[in-house]
Tab-separated table of all heavy atoms in Angstrom:
chain	number	residue	atom	x	y	z
A	1276	LEU	N	-2.495	9.345	-9.597
A	1276	LEU	CA	-1.826	9.797	-8.368
A	1276	LEU	C	-2.849	10.201	-7.306
A	1276	LEU	O	-2.666	9.916	-6.120
A	1276	LEU	CB	-0.894	10.972	-8.683
A	1276	LEU	CG	-0.093	11.544	-7.511
A	1276	LEU	CD1	0.722	10.463	-6.798
A	1276	LEU	CD2	0.822	12.672	-7.973
A	1277	GLY	N	-3.948	10.831	-7.745
A	1277	GLY	CA	-5.030	11.192	-6.815
A	1277	GLY	C	-5.644	9.955	-6.179
A	1277	GLY	O	-5.902	9.920	-4.970
A	1278	ASN	N	-5.848	8.935	-6.991
A	1278	ASN	CA	-6.366	7.663	-6.477
A	1278	ASN	C	-5.387	7.012	-5.508
A	1278	ASN	O	-5.788	6.442	-4.491
A	1278	ASN	CB	-6.653	6.699	-7.639
A	1278	ASN	CG	-8.003	6.941	-8.286
A	1278	ASN	OD1	-9.020	6.442	-7.825
A	1278	ASN	ND2	-8.022	7.752	-9.331
A	1279	LEU	N	-4.093	7.108	-5.830
A	1279	LEU	CA	-3.047	6.558	-4.965
A	1279	LEU	C	-3.048	7.263	-3.604
A	1279	LEU	O	-2.867	6.625	-2.565
A	1279	LEU	CB	-1.682	6.697	-5.643
A	1279	LEU	CG	-0.514	5.920	-5.029
A	1279	LEU	CD1	-0.701	4.417	-5.199
A	1279	LEU	CD2	0.810	6.359	-5.664
A	1280	SER	N	-3.284	8.579	-3.613
A	1280	SER	CA	-3.344	9.348	-2.362
A	1280	SER	C	-4.503	8.874	-1.481
A	1280	SER	O	-4.357	8.754	-0.263
A	1280	SER	CB	-3.497	10.842	-2.664
A	1280	SER	OG	-2.339	11.339	-3.284
A	1281	VAL	N	-5.647	8.601	-2.106
A	1281	VAL	CA	-6.812	8.081	-1.363
A	1281	VAL	C	-6.471	6.723	-0.742
A	1281	VAL	O	-6.795	6.449	0.416
A	1281	VAL	CB	-8.046	7.970	-2.288
A	1281	VAL	CG1	-9.199	7.257	-1.590
A	1281	VAL	CG2	-8.496	9.354	-2.760
A	1282	LEU	N	-5.799	5.868	-1.522
A	1282	LEU	CA	-5.401	4.543	-1.027
A	1282	LEU	C	-4.427	4.643	0.142
A	1282	LEU	O	-4.522	3.887	1.108
A	1282	LEU	CB	-4.747	3.727	-2.144
A	1282	LEU	CG	-5.664	3.194	-3.238
A	1282	LEU	CD1	-4.846	2.576	-4.349
A	1282	LEU	CD2	-6.649	2.176	-2.686
A	1283	ASP	N	-3.484	5.583	0.052
A	1283	ASP	CA	-2.504	5.760	1.134
A	1283	ASP	C	-3.186	6.175	2.433
A	1283	ASP	O	-2.831	5.691	3.510
A	1283	ASP	CB	-1.444	6.796	0.729
A	1283	ASP	CG	-0.437	6.241	-0.261
A	1283	ASP	OD1	-0.292	5.007	-0.315
A	1283	ASP	OD2	0.200	7.024	-0.985
A	1284	VAL	N	-4.175	7.061	2.323
A	1284	VAL	CA	-4.949	7.467	3.508
A	1284	VAL	C	-5.699	6.252	4.060
A	1284	VAL	O	-5.722	6.018	5.272
A	1284	VAL	CB	-5.936	8.609	3.163
A	1284	VAL	CG1	-6.897	8.877	4.323
A	1284	VAL	CG2	-5.183	9.895	2.828
A	1285	GLY	N	-6.273	5.459	3.164
A	1285	GLY	CA	-7.003	4.254	3.581
A	1285	GLY	C	-6.114	3.243	4.263
A	1285	GLY	O	-6.446	2.710	5.320
A	1286	CYS	N	-4.925	2.983	3.673
A	1286	CYS	CA	-3.991	1.973	4.218
A	1286	CYS	C	-3.562	2.303	5.641
A	1286	CYS	O	-3.562	1.440	6.507
A	1286	CYS	CB	-2.753	1.873	3.321
A	1286	CYS	SG	-2.885	0.552	2.111
A	1287	ILE	N	-3.209	3.555	5.888
A	1287	ILE	CA	-2.744	3.929	7.226
A	1287	ILE	C	-3.910	3.993	8.210
A	1287	ILE	O	-3.758	3.712	9.395
A	1287	ILE	CB	-1.929	5.254	7.188
A	1287	ILE	CG1	-1.091	5.387	8.470
A	1287	ILE	CG2	-2.811	6.464	6.959
A	1287	ILE	CD1	-0.049	6.491	8.432
A	1288	THR	N	-5.116	4.322	7.700
A	1288	THR	CA	-6.299	4.408	8.565
A	1288	THR	C	-6.763	3.035	9.025
A	1288	THR	O	-7.316	2.883	10.113
A	1288	THR	CB	-7.442	5.163	7.833
A	1288	THR	OG1	-6.964	6.468	7.497
A	1288	THR	CG2	-8.679	5.305	8.698
A	1289	VAL	N	-6.512	2.018	8.215
A	1289	VAL	CA	-6.906	0.649	8.573
A	1289	VAL	C	-6.078	0.112	9.746
A	1289	VAL	O	-6.569	-0.701	10.536
A	1289	VAL	CB	-6.776	-0.277	7.332
A	1289	VAL	CG1	-6.777	-1.742	7.711
A	1289	VAL	CG2	-7.905	-0.004	6.349
A	1290	THR	N	-4.829	0.583	9.872
A	1290	THR	CA	-3.931	-0.003	10.870
A	1290	THR	C	-3.602	0.905	12.061
A	1290	THR	O	-3.631	0.466	13.206
A	1290	THR	CB	-2.604	-0.424	10.200
A	1290	THR	OG1	-2.073	0.706	9.501
A	1290	THR	CG2	-2.807	-1.571	9.242
A	1291	VAL	N	-3.283	2.174	11.806
A	1291	VAL	CA	-2.719	3.024	12.871
A	1291	VAL	C	-3.734	3.506	13.923
A	1291	VAL	O	-3.455	3.403	15.119
A	1291	VAL	CB	-1.906	4.198	12.266
A	1291	VAL	CG1	-1.511	5.216	13.333
A	1291	VAL	CG2	-0.653	3.654	11.581
A	1292	PRO	N	-4.927	4.029	13.543
A	1292	PRO	CA	-5.851	4.510	14.581
A	1292	PRO	C	-6.226	3.450	15.618
A	1292	PRO	O	-6.309	3.756	16.816
A	1292	PRO	CB	-7.078	4.974	13.783
A	1292	PRO	CG	-6.537	5.324	12.455
A	1292	PRO	CD	-5.451	4.336	12.202
A	1293	SER	N	-6.433	2.201	15.188
A	1293	SER	CA	-6.779	1.137	16.136
A	1293	SER	C	-5.604	0.855	17.074
A	1293	SER	O	-5.794	0.582	18.267
A	1293	SER	CB	-7.203	-0.139	15.399
A	1293	SER	OG	-6.177	-0.577	14.536
A	1294	MET	N	-4.367	0.947	16.548
A	1294	MET	CA	-3.188	0.769	17.386
A	1294	MET	C	-3.093	1.902	18.419
A	1294	MET	O	-2.790	1.667	19.594
A	1294	MET	CB	-1.922	0.754	16.526
A	1294	MET	CG	-0.655	0.527	17.310
A	1294	MET	SD	0.846	0.851	16.362
A	1294	MET	CE	0.950	2.628	16.450
A	1295	LEU	N	-3.367	3.141	17.992
A	1295	LEU	CA	-3.328	4.288	18.904
A	1295	LEU	C	-4.396	4.148	20.001
A	1295	LEU	O	-4.141	4.458	21.171
A	1295	LEU	CB	-3.547	5.598	18.128
A	1295	LEU	CG	-2.461	5.981	17.111
A	1295	LEU	CD1	-2.865	7.227	16.342
A	1295	LEU	CD2	-1.111	6.186	17.782
A	1296	ALA	N	-5.573	3.641	19.604
A	1296	ALA	CA	-6.665	3.437	20.587
A	1296	ALA	C	-6.259	2.408	21.631
A	1296	ALA	O	-6.542	2.576	22.829
A	1296	ALA	CB	-7.933	2.991	19.861
A	1297	ARG	N	-5.564	1.343	21.197
A	1297	ARG	CA	-5.115	0.317	22.146
A	1297	ARG	C	-4.043	0.869	23.093
A	1297	ARG	O	-3.998	0.517	24.263
A	1297	ARG	CB	-4.598	-0.923	21.406
A	1297	ARG	CG	-5.695	-1.806	20.844
A	1297	ARG	CD	-5.151	-3.139	20.364
A	1297	ARG	NE	-4.211	-2.989	19.272
A	1297	ARG	CZ	-4.563	-2.897	17.981
A	1297	ARG	NH1	-5.844	-2.928	17.651
A	1297	ARG	NH2	-3.658	-2.771	17.046
A	1298	LEU	N	-3.187	1.751	22.574
A	1298	LEU	CA	-2.158	2.364	23.423
A	1298	LEU	C	-2.798	3.255	24.499
A	1298	LEU	O	-2.333	3.291	25.632
A	1298	LEU	CB	-1.194	3.203	22.572
A	1298	LEU	CG	-0.111	2.440	21.794
A	1298	LEU	CD1	0.580	3.351	20.793
A	1298	LEU	CD2	0.910	1.809	22.722
A	1299	LEU	N	-3.870	3.955	24.122
A	1299	LEU	CA	-4.554	4.835	25.078
A	1299	LEU	C	-5.327	4.047	26.132
A	1299	LEU	O	-5.312	4.388	27.311
A	1299	LEU	CB	-5.538	5.762	24.340
A	1299	LEU	CG	-4.994	7.082	23.779
A	1299	LEU	CD1	-6.130	7.862	23.142
A	1299	LEU	CD2	-4.325	7.926	24.861
A	1300	SER	N	-6.011	2.989	25.673
A	1300	SER	CA	-6.889	2.232	26.590
A	1300	SER	C	-6.144	1.149	27.371
A	1300	SER	O	-6.689	0.581	28.313
A	1300	SER	CB	-8.023	1.588	25.802
A	1300	SER	OG	-7.494	0.625	24.900
A	1301	HIS	N	-4.890	0.848	26.955
A	1301	HIS	CA	-4.096	-0.247	27.542
A	1301	HIS	C	-4.779	-1.604	27.356
A	1301	HIS	O	-4.517	-2.548	28.084
A	1301	HIS	CB	-3.820	-0.007	29.035
A	1301	HIS	CG	-3.148	1.308	29.306
A	1301	HIS	ND1	-1.843	1.559	28.959
A	1301	HIS	CD2	-3.617	2.451	29.865
A	1301	HIS	CE1	-1.527	2.798	29.296
A	1301	HIS	NE2	-2.584	3.367	29.850
A	1302	LYS	N	-5.698	-1.667	26.401
A	1302	LYS	CA	-6.412	-2.916	26.115
A	1302	LYS	C	-5.858	-3.481	24.809
A	1302	LYS	O	-5.943	-2.845	23.767
A	1302	LYS	CB	-7.914	-2.634	25.981
A	1302	LYS	CG	-8.762	-3.875	25.827
A	1302	LYS	CD	-10.225	-3.503	25.601
A	1302	LYS	CE	-11.053	-4.732	25.275
A	1302	LYS	NZ	-12.422	-4.381	24.852
A	1303	HIS	N	-5.273	-4.654	24.867
A	1303	HIS	CA	-4.589	-5.210	23.699
A	1303	HIS	C	-5.433	-6.218	22.926
A	1303	HIS	O	-4.978	-6.733	21.904
A	1303	HIS	CB	-3.270	-5.879	24.127
A	1303	HIS	CG	-2.290	-4.914	24.712
A	1303	HIS	ND1	-1.598	-4.009	23.945
A	1303	HIS	CD2	-1.912	-4.690	26.004
A	1303	HIS	CE1	-0.817	-3.278	24.725
A	1303	HIS	NE2	-1.000	-3.672	25.982
A	1304	THR	N	-6.619	-6.518	23.415
A	1304	THR	CA	-7.431	-7.542	22.746
A	1304	THR	C	-8.159	-6.963	21.534
A	1304	THR	O	-8.550	-5.800	21.521
A	1304	THR	CB	-8.475	-8.135	23.718
A	1304	THR	OG1	-9.267	-7.075	24.252
A	1304	THR	CG2	-7.817	-8.910	24.831
A	1305	VAL	N	-8.320	-7.811	20.528
A	1305	VAL	CA	-9.096	-7.446	19.340
A	1305	VAL	C	-9.992	-8.638	19.000
A	1305	VAL	O	-9.518	-9.773	18.917
A	1305	VAL	CB	-8.169	-7.050	18.152
A	1305	VAL	CG1	-7.174	-8.144	17.828
A	1305	VAL	CG2	-8.977	-6.701	16.913
A	1306	PRO	N	-11.321	-8.425	18.857
A	1306	PRO	CA	-12.217	-9.541	18.543
A	1306	PRO	C	-11.842	-10.224	17.230
A	1306	PRO	O	-11.303	-9.579	16.318
A	1306	PRO	CB	-13.596	-8.868	18.430
A	1306	PRO	CG	-13.464	-7.581	19.179
A	1306	PRO	CD	-12.036	-7.158	19.006
A	1307	TYR	N	-12.141	-11.519	17.167
A	1307	TYR	CA	-11.836	-12.337	15.985
A	1307	TYR	C	-12.384	-11.672	14.711
A	1307	TYR	O	-11.684	-11.536	13.713
A	1307	TYR	CB	-12.446	-13.727	16.185
A	1307	TYR	CG	-12.357	-14.648	14.994
A	1307	TYR	CD1	-11.203	-15.396	14.747
A	1307	TYR	CD2	-13.434	-14.795	14.116
A	1307	TYR	CE1	-11.128	-16.250	13.664
A	1307	TYR	CE2	-13.368	-15.648	13.034
A	1307	TYR	CZ	-12.213	-16.375	12.799
A	1307	TYR	OH	-12.138	-17.216	11.715
A	1308	GLY	N	-13.654	-11.240	14.756
A	1308	GLY	CA	-14.294	-10.620	13.583
A	1308	GLY	C	-13.608	-9.331	13.169
A	1308	GLY	O	-13.411	-9.068	11.969
A	1309	ALA	N	-13.213	-8.508	14.158
A	1309	ALA	CA	-12.528	-7.239	13.867
A	1309	ALA	C	-11.157	-7.490	13.243
A	1309	ALA	O	-10.713	-6.755	12.350
A	1309	ALA	CB	-12.384	-6.421	15.150
A	1310	CYS	N	-10.495	-8.555	13.693
A	1310	CYS	CA	-9.178	-8.921	13.167
A	1310	CYS	C	-9.288	-9.293	11.685
A	1310	CYS	O	-8.508	-8.815	10.851
A	1310	CYS	CB	-8.622	-10.088	13.972
A	1310	CYS	SG	-6.876	-10.428	13.670
A	1311	LEU	N	-10.289	-10.111	11.352
A	1311	LEU	CA	-10.499	-10.513	9.961
A	1311	LEU	C	-10.943	-9.342	9.089
A	1311	LEU	O	-10.577	-9.251	7.912
A	1311	LEU	CB	-11.514	-11.657	9.873
A	1311	LEU	CG	-10.901	-13.061	9.743
A	1311	LEU	CD1	-10.011	-13.397	10.928
A	1311	LEU	CD2	-11.978	-14.119	9.578
Side-chain angles (χ1 to χ4, degrees):
L1276 181 55
N1278 277 275
L1279 193 68
S1280 293
V1281 172
L1282 287 172
D1283 284 338
V1284 171
C1286 265
I1287 198 168
T1288 301
V1289 164
T1290 54
V1291 170
S1293 58
M1294 182 192 80
L1295 295 175
R1297 283 191 297 275
L1298 281 169
L1299 273 182
S1300 64
H1301 304 289
K1302 186 184 173 189
H1303 296 286
T1304 56
V1305 55
Y1307 173 84
C1310 192
L1311 262 60

